Amino acid sequence: MPNAADIFQALADPTRLRIIALLRAMELSVGELAQVLGQSQPRVSRHVKILCDSGLAERRKEGSWVFVAMGRHDAVPAILNALDILSDANGGDHWAVADTARLAAVRADRAAAAAEWFESNAGQWDAIRSLHVADSEVEAAMTRVLGDQAIGQLIDIGTGTGRMLELFAPQSERALGIDRSSEMLRLARVKLAERGLANAELRQADLYALPLGDRAADVAILHHVLHFAQQPGAAIAEAARALGTGGRLLIADFAPHEREELRTRDNHARLGFSDEQMLGWFETVGLVPVQTETLEGGELTVKLWLARKVAEGDRAGRRPRDLEVKAA
């Protein structure tokens, strides 16, 4: 745990104060910080190291990129509050206007990169989407199944472009999206910044090794992820490990189908899942099925499975409530 001397030494530099102000606005790569600050990456990296050593910031590596975010040291909220008071008393920071303008340029660069990626990959995505009910209907069904009750810790496993975080982070206290793809995470950052979802964060991680402790999550989502998994049961087991008692797992994926070209063309490891498969995996890891929904309306049928983690003695005799929903 860093001490007070480390913290105040870290604050005793104008550049590091500027970095803190920027990180309060959004998570940034070291390169993006250098772009905004107008300094070299090695110099910015040294400042970032001092902030991280003090607990005021934290670094996460994603591929060849290193992202920096505000730290989780217990003293951070009080320090930020004190900085706000001092800034107001002194009439604000003269660097703030220029840094804000450069930060807007970084946001624009990210948005342009995202648009270019979507344009180049739209054909592949549209080909799969054309085979099943509209995404809007799937999302509406997921929203209905989860309900509007408040969520403490949400984890979106295989977050992709962050769509599930867009939908459910607003009703969550904290939301975490994980994905193995650094490219997907960069796209998700654009969306989260546009929506201003300050309670959502992103991590590069594997669905078989979630960056959460045991029983840390209240809701976990696997949205069109399991058909890419070589070991779906292991992915469900890892999600169950992260859920606290009473926590819910919502899975959206395909029912069994015969579209073999999706395996070769789009890297689908599994051609859908049956209720029997899913309920078997749930039972193995202490999840009780609560509800299933079937969304028809194309060559591929989308299924929703909702399960709840229960105490050991409360597992027997529980079956899902089937709500068959057919898309118009």
Side-chain angles (χ1 to χ4, degrees), residues 10-315:
L11 293 170
D13 183 277
T15 295
R16 293 196 284 275
L17 290 175
R18 291 170 66 192
I19 291 174
I20 287 174
L22 293 168
L23 297 181
R24 294 179 72 177
M26 61 189 291
E27 188 177 78
L28 293 161
S29 72
V30 172
E32 288 171 336
L33 281 170
Q35 177 183 339
V36 174
L37 297 170
Q39 300 181 13
S40 68
Q41 284 201 33
R43 184 175 179 183
V44 170
S45 293
R46 287 195 295 273
H47 286 302
V48 166
K49 182 180 186 304
I50 293 171
L51 289 171
C52 290
D53 289 345
S54 72
L56 295 173
E58 61 181 26
R59 288 172 296 189
R60 287 195 290 272
K61 194 171 190 304
E62 292 180 10
S64 60
W65 290 45
V66 176
F67 282 91
V68 188
M70 286 302 304
R72 303 186 186 189
H73 191 288
D74 291 342
V76 168
I79 289 168
L80 296 180
N81 185 53
L83 290 175
D84 288 340
I85 293 172
L86 291 171
S87 178
D88 291 342
N90 291 312
D93 184 350
H94 72 283
W95 285 104
V97 174
D99 286 351
T100 299
R102 295 192 191 102
L103 188 61
V106 167
R107 292 181 190 269
D109 288 345
R110 285 189 181 184
E116 182 180 351
W117 190 91
F118 275 117
E119 185 176 349
S120 62
N121 289 273
Q124 176 185 353
W125 282 28
D126 288 345
I128 297 176
R129 285 172 171 167
S130 68
L131 297 176
H132 62 77
V133 66
D135 289 342
S136 59
E137 295 192 42
V138 177
E139 292 170 3
M142 294 178 73
T143 301
R144 184 171 61 251
V145 167
L146 276 183
D148 58 3
Q149 68 189 82
I151 298 171
Q153 173 71 64
L154 167 71
I155 181 167
D156 181 27
I157 303 167
T159 195
T161 61
R163 177 57 182 161
M164 293 297 104
L165 295 178
E166 285 188 275
L167 286 178
F168 298 112
Q171 70 190 77
S172 307
E173 191 175 319
R174 301 170 307 280
L176 173 65
I178 72 107
D179 205 288
R180 288 186 63 184
S181 168
S182 56
E183 183 62 42
M184 284 293 187
L185 291 175
R186 285 196 283 276
L187 295 171
R189 281 191 180 87
V190 173
K191 282 193 173 185
L192 298 187
E194 290 173 347
R195 288 289 304 275
L197 295 174
N199 66 327
E201 64 174 310
L202 300 164
R203 299 274 189 92
Q204 186 175 35
D206 194 283
L207 78 168
Y208 303 116
L210 300 177
L212 277 179
D214 294 350
R215 299 178 295 279
D218 299 291
V219 170
I221 295 175
L222 284 158
H223 174 253
H224 285 309
V225 171
L226 280 187
H227 59 253
F228 291 110
Q230 295 293 336
Q231 298 176 284
I236 291 173
E238 177 64 359
R241 175 197 67 75
L243 286 172
T245 301
R248 295 174 293 164
L249 172 63
L250 177 57
I251 297 173
D253 220 299
F254 299 124
H257 61 86
E258 303 295 329
R259 299 298 298 248
E260 187 67 34
E261 75 275 11
L262 295 181
R263 195 191 302 275
T264 55
R265 186 190 69 195
D266 299 303
N267 297 316
H268 288 203
R270 300 297 183 101
L271 299 183
F273 304 96
S274 67
D275 288 340
E276 290 72 22
Q277 282 178 304
M278 201 64 69
L279 299 186
W281 285 321
F282 288 167
E283 183 177 3
T284 299
V285 298
L287 294 173
V288 169
V290 175
Q291 185 173 337
T292 65
E293 292 210 16
T294 301
L295 303 172
E296 298 178 344
E299 295 182 48
L300 299 181
T301 296
V302 176
K303 295 281 294 189
L304 303 185
W305 294 273
L306 180 69
R308 187 182 300 275
K309 187 173 182 178
V310 295
E312 183 72 30
D314 193 33
R315 295 182 189 176

